[in-house]
């Protein structure tokens, strides 16, 4: 899958689109295939280092899509939601 990632704090030039392994949802988790994603102010704060986060890290705190996998114990969502 594709992910928007940063390896260091800085300007927009530190943003990379990378191929990463598609994660499997763990117990109590769902996985959503995003149809739309957004980078908002919190992502900008993370990228610049104003709010410290471990590196490397992903950006994109907003998204909309369809559930494509559910972990054990999930009952409130199903694939296709």
């Amino acid at each position: 899958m594709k992910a928007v990632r940063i390896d260091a704090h800085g300007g927009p030039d530190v943003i990379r689109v990378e191929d990463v392994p598609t994660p499997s949802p763990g117990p109590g988790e769902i996985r959503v295939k995003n149809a739309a994603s957004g980078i908002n102010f919190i992502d900008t704060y993370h990228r610049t280092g104003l709010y410290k986060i471990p590196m490397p890290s992903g950006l994109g705190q907003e998204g909309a899509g369809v559930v494509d996998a559910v972990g054990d114990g999930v009952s409130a969502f199903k694939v296709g939601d």
Side-chain angles (χ1 to χ4, degrees), residues 2-64:
K2 300 283 187 194
V4 176
R5 312 238 333 138
I6 57 174
D7 294 327
H9 298 296
D13 57 308
V14 301
I15 298 172
R16 305 278 186 260
V17 177
E18 300 178 353
D19 289 310
V20 297
T22 301
S24 297
E29 297 177 338
I30 64 172
R31 184 178 66 208
V32 176
K33 181 176 177 146
N34 282 338
S37 299
I39 294 179
N40 62 28
F41 280 108
I42 192 72
D43 296 300
T44 302
Y45 299 155
H46 289 158
R47 176 184 48 80
T48 63
L50 183 62
Y51 294 176
K52 301 294 185 196
I53 56 174
M55 295 292 169
S57 186
L59 298 178
Q61 299 293 320
E62 298 177 342

